[in-house]
Amino acid sequence: MSRWRRLATATAVLAVLATGCAQQVPGLGSYSAARAKAPDAKVEIRNTDHGPIDTLAGNAVADIQQFWTQEMAAQFHRPYRPVSAFYSIDPDGSVAAPCTDEPSDIRGNAFYCPSRDIVAWDRKVLLPQLQERFGDFLVAMVLAHEWGHAIQKRTTLPSDHTIVVETQADCYAGAFTAWALRGNAPHFQITRPDLDRALSGFLLFSDPLGSEASDRQAHGSGFDRVSAFQDGYEQGVPFCAKFNDDRTFTQTGFLSQDDQNQQGNLPLDQTLDQGPKDVDAYWQASYQKLYGQSWKPLAGVKPFTDADRPQCDGQPMLDAQYCAADDTIYYDTDALSKVYKHNGDFGAISLVGIAYGQAVRERRGESASTDSQSTLLSAICSTGGYARDSFGQRDPARLTLSPGDLDEAIRALLDAAGSSEFTNVHTTTGFDRVQAFRDGFNNAKSCK
């Protein structure tokens, strides 16, 4: 059997909701604003039950429209025209939302209807689940995405391709989030750690595994959507407004029936064996191109288990770590097995890739310390470069990526890469780690 195997996500496929943009997602717990919020907004919501979910949605509507009142004038040099109406729908009730036939059409959904210029949401299923599992602000983010479509109606569509339209709306939601983080949203005061939950939510709004970017219903992979959201957060509305067909998307279909049957996932034993070898092969081939120097082979790459954890300079090894003292990369097969189970094979391999990134820093004459924030982010950036190489890899002796693998890497960065078992650094947020990975994916030479 050829060693060329495709990696793939280990999580269940999430169904695309029928009529709109939101999707039902599993939860990660709740959070709340850190400071006192403004009094509840006075927003007319049609068909409301006057319950707490519609109060939350009304607060989001008020803050989002305040944001766009400011941004439309500043960035598009025109006044903002408010959305015409807002509808709260019980999918088991008797009232249907405009642009739908039955109340049940909106179950698990929220959408903007351009022909009627309205925003509608499911107050019984979608918004309560988001609030319970991710906290109040994810509700605002979902509605901010829908407002992105309202802004497209008021300005211009960026493309005829759905994935460009949808990720531009994600970008606009990211710009709103940055505005809220700066303390401008009266009803949603958030902190940097809250963004990790937001990214987890956006990551799970991905299309079904194996969907093509060209599909007319495509919204993007989790990586595509998080990338757009982070671009909006970091660069604001002017950047989002420039979205077009030149944007790179990573959502791809399976390349073979065998790959699809296996959901592209390497077996665990092959993941733990071939994954580190593939990262090593990448650096052997790429180090000279990136840094103008020959790659110095490592003294060793050694797996271990929880029961036989080695030490480096008198300290127990982390779950995946480079030890400069003996020029060896160590990885805990028990710990990576858990990452494999929860995040998928490329999540586990990416953590080994970060250990290689530490070795790369040592070879460049820089610190490879495991308790330095800059070192960790640099090593993660280098792993993003490896991921980009794997994404386009067609060498039969190498591994390449399957649909969902980049989402696996992000999940591992949000979860395992922030744990004390993996790093001594506790000052980075998942947002920072994902951004560093994306920096390397976009340009491996940018990693410092």
Side-chain angles (χ1 to χ4, degrees):
M1 177 181 289
S2 169
R3 288 187 65 254
W4 181 39
R5 297 287 300 280
R6 290 174 55 79
L7 310 173
T9 183
T11 59
V13 173
L14 297 171
V16 179
L17 297 174
T19 61
C21 301
Q23 295 179 338
Q24 295 176 345
V25 295
L28 296 176
S30 63
Y31 64 94
S32 60
R35 300 189 302 274
K37 295 183 289 187
D40 291 331
K42 303 298 183 182
V43 174
E44 180 184 355
I45 299 174
R46 302 187 185 185
N47 195 49
T48 182
D49 65 352
H50 302 285
I53 289 299
D54 281 351
T55 298
L56 172 61
N59 287 337
V61 168
D63 286 8
I64 294 166
Q65 298 219 100
Q66 180 176 328
F67 170 74
W68 280 112
T69 297
Q70 169 188 308
E71 291 296 308
M72 186 68 78
Q75 307 301 335
F76 295 103
H77 309 293
R78 66 186 72 172
Y80 170 67
R81 176 170 54 83
V83 170
S84 298
F86 324 113
Y87 286 81
S88 168
I89 303 297
D90 178 350
D92 295 320
S94 59
V95 177
C99 310
T100 65
D101 296 322
E102 302 291 338
S104 60
D105 290 343
I106 203 172
R107 186 181 303 277
N109 206 357
F111 66 86
Y112 170 72
C113 177
S115 64
R116 297 285 297 275
D117 191 40
I118 63 96
V119 171
W121 56 81
D122 166 10
R123 70 163 179 262
K124 185 175 182 179
V125 180
L126 177 68
L127 296 198
Q129 288 185 357
L130 294 182
Q131 181 192 37
E132 178 182 357
R133 298 173 178 180
F134 290 90
D136 289 359
F137 190 67
L138 187 56
V139 171
M141 283 178 50
V142 167
L143 293 178
H145 170 94
E146 301 309 332
W147 247 263
H149 294 310
I151 298 307
Q152 291 165 343
K153 174 72 172 179
R154 285 152 173 75
T155 55
T156 184
L157 284 175
S159 171
D160 292 332
H161 295 98
T162 304
I163 194 169
V164 181
V165 174
E166 294 300 334
T167 52
Q168 185 187 54
D170 291 336
C171 187
Y172 284 140
F176 166 75
T177 298
W179 179 80
L181 185 73
R182 291 193 294 269
N184 296 311
H187 301 95
F188 298 92
Q189 291 81 40
I190 60 174
T191 64
R192 290 283 294 187
D194 293 333
L195 294 182
D196 292 359
R197 294 183 176 92
L199 284 180
S200 296
F202 255 70
L203 181 64
L204 294 172
F205 294 159
S206 59
D207 287 337
L209 198 64
S211 300
E212 296 282 359
S214 59
D215 190 287
R216 70 182 185 88
Q217 294 294 331
H219 285 52
S221 67
F223 183 82
D224 292 333
R225 301 200 68 175
V226 167
S227 295
F229 174 83
Q230 283 198 324
D231 282 342
Y233 176 90
E234 295 286 352
Q235 303 188 62
V237 170
F239 180 89
C240 303
K242 296 178 182 178
F243 266 45
N244 57 40
D245 290 344
D246 292 335
R247 187 170 177 85
T248 299
F249 295 101
T250 64
Q251 180 159 292
T252 61
F254 292 107
L255 295 182
S256 71
Q257 186 62 50
D258 179 64
D259 189 28
Q260 183 173 357
N261 291 342
Q262 300 179 59
Q263 290 294 279
N265 224 11
L266 283 173
L268 175 61
D269 59 343
Q270 293 184 36
T271 298
L272 297 179
D273 175 60
Q274 295 184 24
K277 292 177 181 177
D278 194 64
V279 182
D280 192 85
Y282 163 74
W283 284 112
Q284 289 184 39
S286 302
Y287 189 82
Q288 174 82 37
K289 300 174 186 177
L290 291 173
Y291 305 118
Q293 304 171 5
S294 298
W295 170 251
K296 175 187 173 184
L298 291 160
V301 180
K302 298 181 180 180
F304 64 91
T305 66
D306 289 342
D308 63 354
R309 186 176 299 272
Q311 292 191 341
C312 178
D313 284 335
Q315 298 296 319
M317 295 297 301
L318 300 171
D319 288 347
Q321 181 182 342
Y322 168 69
C323 179
D326 60 5
D327 193 37
T328 298
I329 284 176
Y330 295 88
Y331 59 95
D332 182 349
T333 56
D334 291 334
L336 292 187
S337 295
K338 295 177 182 177
V339 174
Y340 174 95
K341 179 180 179 180
H342 292 103
N343 300 309
D345 49 10
F346 198 63
I349 292 172
S350 294
L351 297 184
V352 177
I354 296 172
Y356 268 88
Q358 295 165 354
V360 167
R361 286 185 59 85
E362 188 274 338
R363 276 151 174 71
R364 296 177 63 194
E366 300 172 352
S367 170
S369 169
T370 60
D371 57 3
S372 165
Q373 176 177 339
S374 61
T375 298
L376 175 62
L377 295 179
S378 174
I380 291 172
C381 182
S382 294
T383 307
Y386 162 66
R388 181 56 180 258
D389 181 78
S390 300
F391 179 69
Q393 189 59 246
R394 292 296 178 265
D395 182 346
R398 291 282 310 281
L399 301 178
T400 190
L401 299 189
S402 269
D405 280 334
L406 294 172
D407 299 7
E408 295 174 5
I410 293 179
R411 281 194 294 271
L413 291 170
L414 290 171
D415 182 13
S419 69
S420 59
E421 291 80 12
F422 179 78
T423 178
N424 294 327
V425 180
H426 305 296
T427 57
T428 62
T429 66
F431 191 96
D432 294 332
R433 296 189 292 273
V434 171
Q435 183 63 58
F437 182 86
R438 290 184 54 237
D439 287 344
F441 186 88
N442 291 329
N443 179 14
K445 291 184 178 180
S446 71
C447 304
K448 303 298 184 183

